[in-house]
Amino acid sequence: MLSKMLSPVLRVLPALALMTGLSTAAASAETAEGYWQGVQKAGVLRCGAAVAPPYVMRDPASGEYSGFFADLCREFADALKVKAEFVDTSWDNIVAGLQAGKWDLSLALNRTPARAMAVQFSIPAMEYQISLAYNKENPKVPSGATSVADVDKKDVTLAVMSGTAQDKAITAAIKNATILRLPGNDETRLALVSRRADILVDASDTNQLFTQSNPEWAVALNPTPALAKQGVAFGMPHRLSAADVEVLNIFLEEKVATGHVDELIRKAVDEVLKSAQ
């Protein structure tokens, strides 16, 4: 008799436990703090910045950062109502530093599967491809060259910034030529100007700026088939929730859709060309 009386109660207990569990989870979800709320509490949005004009530039005298990704970082900081702080880094360390928590965002990262296993990406701010810049009088570069294979010769040296997406792409494509990996933007251009390297491997828009600044001798080739075509985005820590990622995506989506990113790119390009005069 007692067991019959208890059986309805016993049947209710799992349901009550489930409801209690759901209530606890809901309360926890309501009080859980998102990543950007933590940034707001700190009052600073830390942006990992490796130089690559026109994406990210740094004035050697003042230390001030410019370029359209630096501008977007400041604007996102404004949206969060915090201050933007730039952390100087290299392309070799820009992913590792983000993983280690040294900054909150990495600027101007190419979206690649290998990087996506280490960090999260925002939607792209722009599309990217790699070009080859060279001296049009250089006999090592065939006048009718259209592909990477056309310049993949044993006596050809290609300069590239170490650790960049273009480094990874050209390394996978080259079988015979020599790859000269250098730490920064200035070093790779100096290698081409001094003829230490025959070809400069870089983003097509960056190489376009270089050839526009040196029209008397420099030309650029967008190889066919394309060496790489990727989106350029913000990198975020892997632990961010989907809701946190969406915050940055919504911010960036509007900037792209309204043409504001295009305006920032034009401003950065003008700055680079002006400094080259």
Side-chain angles (χ1 to χ4, degrees):
M1 180 70 177
L2 181 60
S3 61
K4 288 183 179 180
M5 292 174 63
L6 288 176
S7 58
V9 176
L10 293 174
R11 284 197 298 270
V12 171
L13 285 176
L16 288 172
L18 177 60
M19 290 174 65
T20 302
L22 288 174
S23 298
T24 303
S28 176
E30 286 176 3
T31 58
E33 181 177 81
Y35 187 83
W36 306 121
Q37 283 84 355
V39 168
Q40 288 177 321
K41 281 189 175 181
V44 176
L45 176 68
R46 300 166 301 159
C47 302
V51 172
Y55 305 90
V56 179
M57 297 173 282
R58 184 173 183 269
D59 187 312
S62 66
E64 287 294 314
Y65 281 88
S66 59
F68 70 93
F69 258 93
D71 289 340
L72 285 170
C73 177
R74 290 189 183 93
E75 291 181 3
F76 185 53
D78 288 343
L80 296 176
K81 297 183 175 6
V82 299
K83 177 184 176 183
E85 178 183 282
F86 295 94
V87 184
D88 188 36
T89 187
S90 68
W91 288 106
D92 281 323
N93 295 320
I94 197 163
V95 171
L98 185 62
Q99 288 178 296
K102 293 182 178 180
W103 47 80
D104 304 301
L105 294 174
S106 285
L107 305 188
L109 277 188
N110 289 59
R111 290 159 54 102
T112 67
R115 282 176 171 170
M117 290 190 287
V119 300
Q120 294 198 72
F121 288 106
S122 69
I123 61 171
M126 65 166 291
E127 297 302 318
Y128 152 104
Q129 66 176 322
I130 294 171
S131 73
L132 311 177
Y134 56 92
N135 189 323
K136 60 187 175 184
E137 303 299 329
N138 189 338
K140 295 182 186 178
V141 183
S143 59
T146 60
S147 68
V148 173
D150 291 335
V151 299
D152 187 13
K153 312 298 181 186
K154 288 186 177 179
D155 62 341
V156 171
T157 298
L158 301 100
V160 67
M161 282 191 288
S162 178
T164 58
Q166 49 267 30
D167 181 5
K168 304 295 190 296
I170 198 66
T171 298
I174 289 296
K175 296 179 176 60
N176 303 302
T178 299
I179 299 175
L180 177 62
R181 295 178 181 86
L182 295 166
N185 184 74
D186 291 340
E187 290 88 347
T188 56
R189 276 140 191 78
L190 181 59
L192 183 63
V193 171
S194 66
R195 305 202 177 189
R196 184 182 172 200
D198 301 295
I199 294 172
L200 170 62
V201 183
D202 212 332
S204 57
D205 50 354
T206 305
N207 271 347
Q208 182 180 355
L209 289 172
F210 180 71
T211 57
Q212 284 180 268
S213 300
N214 301 278
E216 66 281 359
W217 61 270
V219 293
L221 163 68
N222 290 333
T224 304
L227 189 55
K229 281 198 174 185
Q230 300 155 346
V232 186
F234 284 103
M236 295 172 280
H238 222 304
R239 67 181 181 277
L240 263 66
S241 69
D244 285 324
V245 173
E246 189 69 359
V247 171
L248 181 55
N249 282 345
I250 290 171
F251 162 82
L252 195 53
E253 187 178 61
E254 181 184 7
K255 301 297 182 183
V256 172
T258 59
H260 182 63
V261 171
D262 290 335
E263 292 175 5
L264 294 180
I265 292 172
R266 284 193 292 270
K267 185 183 83 168
V269 167
D270 289 343
E271 182 182 340
V272 174
L273 293 176
K274 184 178 179 180
S275 66
Q277 292 175 353

